[in-house]
Structures are given as C-alpha cells and as structure tokens.
Amino acid sequence: MNQPCLVADIGGSNARFGLVEKSGGSVVHVRTLPVAAHAGLAEAVESYLAGLPGGADALPIKPVLGAVAVATAIAGDRVEFTNSPWSFSIEAVRTRLGLDKLLVLNDFEALALSLPRLRGDQLHAPDGLPTPKGTLAVIGPGTGLGVGGVIETAHGWVALPGEGGHATLAPADDYESELLALVRRDYAHVSAERLLSGIGLPVLHGAVARQAGHMVAPALTAEQIVEAGTTGSDALCVRTLEVFCALLGGFAGSVALTLGARGGVYIGGGIVPRLGELFFRSRFRERFEAKGRFRGYLEVVPTVLITDTLAALSGAALALEQIDL
C-alpha cells in the first residue's frame, strides 16, 4: 500500500475517519462524525474530507484507496447495518468517491487486526500487558456487541470475523436465570447483544428493576444508566452495571474457550472504558475464569481493556495492506 488511504470505522452511533499516507504509517486527521447527522456513508465521507484543514482540495495527494470497517456482517456488494439505518452499495460508494479500491470489512475484524500493533498507551491491563502471540480474541460492547479474533501464522496475523454477539447468552446462577426469563417475555431469543450493549443496557436495567419488585422500571438510556451507576447515585443502576460486568465476564470466558484465545482477550467498545475502576472491581474476571474443569485454562489467559476507541482504524489499514493490490 504505497498510496494514500482513507480509513473508517462505522458503528451504530459514530463514524470515525482518518487518513494513512503510506503502508505502516500512522492514522492522521482523525475525526468522529455522528451517524444520525448524515444520510449515508458516502455523504459522511464527503463531509469528513470537506472538514479537513483547507478542505479536500488542500490534500497534497487525494486518497485513492479506502478501507471501511462496518458494524454488520459482509455478504456481497450490498451492506445493511444491524443497528443503524445506513445501507450502501460498495461499488456505488467507490465510484462516487473516486477510489481505485474500496475494501469493506467487519468492524471487529478490523479491531482484531489492530491488536498486535496496539501500544501500551492504548491499553489498560492491571496485571501487565501481554506479548501478542498465538490466538487473541476481542469483544466490545458499544451500540451493539462485537466479537472477533486474530491468529498468528507464518504469513502474519489473520483475522477471524464473526457475529458472536448474537450467540445465545447463558446464565450462570439462579438470579441470572430469573433475569433472562424476564427478558424472554419480550424477546424470543436473548442474545449476548440483547443485554451487553448500548441497546441492551436499558433492557438489562428493566429486568433488574422487575426482579427487584419494581412493577414499572424507570425508562433510562444507556448513557444515563452508566452515569448513575458509576457515580453511585442510583442503586438500580449500580446493580445493573454489576450484573452487566458479571455477564460480560462469563461471555468473554466462553469466547476465549471457543477460539482458544490463550494469548489474551481484549475488551473494546465504548461502554467498558467509561466504567473506570468499577469494571476492575467487578466480578468480570471472577466470572471469566468460572468455567468448571477449565478454570485452570482460563486463569492464565490475560484480559486487557482497549482504551483507544480509534484502534479499529489502524486495523482497517492493515487489512488493506494484506490484500493483493
């Protein structure tokens, strides 16, 4: 990749953009735009380029390659987002933007590819940062719940895209079984994303409230639940975040076992970094390891928090480097 590249990470709420000037280069001119403020991907890209210092015309060399990570599964030319009204044709966007090539990949495929390159200032690991090796997994509660992995091979790191956030969520005790039974009154399938995400936190909060005897749960957004829970100003929100961290730990342990991610499980997304020390005091790690006969297997698997919400941009650039241009 010896030509300038446009990179993007498109979630359900935010669209993050940047430029990479050459292979292995840093992502520069990073900017985040709200998805709701733009009709679609092409319009958001044009808005991003126009907002660069001096506008798109001021760039010494305009990007001719693009790599876009999207929060949905990729199958063919048509891209339909899971938690956003956006949809687009890859070829139509490429043509409109005047790109020679436009690579579209799953957002957690891109985030997984970023893992081996992440620096210490992009991560937080209370027990020390691991050396990337073998198989790594990443999960991320944001608007939805992403899951991905990356495997070290003789030819470099190879990503494993998937939709693990839509796997069925399993309870670990009677209390969690009661919560999931309450949620199943409204949803036939209770996936991990149904509770462990921005769209899921209000659902989880409602179930926690009903289980505690509240006939009508207060209608709060995910942002309000996180704010009230982290400050301790609302007992139901505090309890919701405690349950959230415990369920996330159990789910993360299952992902580690499924992928054989002995090199580490990384936690991304926009929610967990906002929980601060509450997350590290929670039952996340306890529940991560609580897998019966395989406790010993998981006890030595590191869990690391990704604090840099822009990490997937570098992973998108690496994906473009890996393909034969």
Side-chain angles (χ1 to χ4, degrees):
M1 189 182 76
N2 296 316
Q3 300 164 294
C5 170
L6 169 76
V7 291
D9 175 23
I10 314 296
S13 303
N14 296 304
R16 301 172 177 91
F17 297 98
L19 295 175
V20 178
E21 296 177 351
K22 61 181 180 179
S23 181
S26 300
V27 182
V28 297
H29 298 301
V30 174
R31 186 180 173 202
T32 300
L33 302 178
V35 167
H38 299 84
L41 174 61
E43 291 82 358
V45 171
E46 290 168 347
S47 177
Y48 163 73
L49 293 174
L52 293 172
D57 292 337
L59 293 174
I61 304 177
K62 292 185 178 180
V64 293
L65 305 174
V68 178
V70 295
T72 190
I74 311 299
D77 177 70
R78 194 73 195 171
V79 177
E80 304 280 349
F81 282 79
T82 305
N83 296 310
S84 163
W86 280 12
S87 66
F88 64 91
S89 157
I90 297 173
E91 180 59 20
V93 170
R94 184 197 68 78
T95 301
R96 175 168 169 172
L97 297 178
L99 298 172
D100 292 343
K101 186 171 189 63
L102 176 61
L103 173 66
V104 178
L105 66 160
N106 176 265
D107 58 341
F108 270 73
E109 180 181 359
L111 188 55
L113 282 171
S114 78
L115 299 182
R117 292 184 171 183
L118 292 180
R119 306 179 307 273
D121 61 345
Q122 297 173 289
L123 303 167
H124 181 48
D127 297 322
L129 296 176
T131 299
K133 60 182 179 179
T135 301
L136 313 175
V138 60
I139 63 174
T143 301
L145 177 64
V147 177
V150 65
I151 297 177
E152 187 179 22
T153 74
H155 304 289
W157 291 91
V158 177
L160 297 172
E163 291 295 331
H166 298 283
T168 304
L169 184 63
D173 54 33
D174 292 342
Y175 174 76
E176 290 178 0
S177 293
E178 292 174 11
L179 288 181
L180 267 63
L182 289 171
V183 177
R184 277 195 294 271
R185 294 180 185 178
D186 300 317
Y187 302 98
H189 177 233
V190 182
S191 66
E193 180 174 282
R194 182 60 66 190
L195 299 182
L196 304 179
S197 65
I199 61 174
L201 263 177
V203 179
L204 178 59
H205 178 262
V208 169
R210 280 185 285 172
Q211 199 279 339
H214 296 260
M215 296 303 294
V216 179
L220 299 179
T221 66
E223 291 77 11
Q224 290 171 326
I225 294 166
V226 170
E227 174 66 20
T230 53
T231 60
S233 62
D234 184 278
L236 276 178
C237 291
V238 171
R239 181 59 176 153
T240 298
L241 294 185
E242 291 173 347
V243 176
F244 172 89
C245 292
L247 285 169
L248 187 65
F251 177 71
S254 295
V255 170
L257 290 174
T258 301
L259 294 184
R262 307 185 85 161
V265 175
Y266 292 70
I267 301 93
I271 294 178
V272 176
R274 296 171 57 197
L275 302 184
E277 288 305 312
L278 182 150
F279 175 71
F280 294 102
R281 295 194 307 267
S282 76
R283 296 180 63 205
F284 173 86
R285 184 69 203 194
E286 171 195 332
R287 286 287 304 279
F288 177 83
E289 298 175 2
K291 299 296 182 184
R293 292 174 296 166
F294 270 71
R295 175 182 294 275
Y297 182 105
L298 291 170
E299 283 178 339
V300 296
V301 175
T303 49
V304 182
L305 176 62
I306 302 172
T307 56
D308 183 358
T309 59
L310 303 172
L313 293 177
S314 62
L318 177 58
L320 198 54
E321 291 176 28
Q322 289 181 339
I323 65 175
D324 182 8
L325 297 177

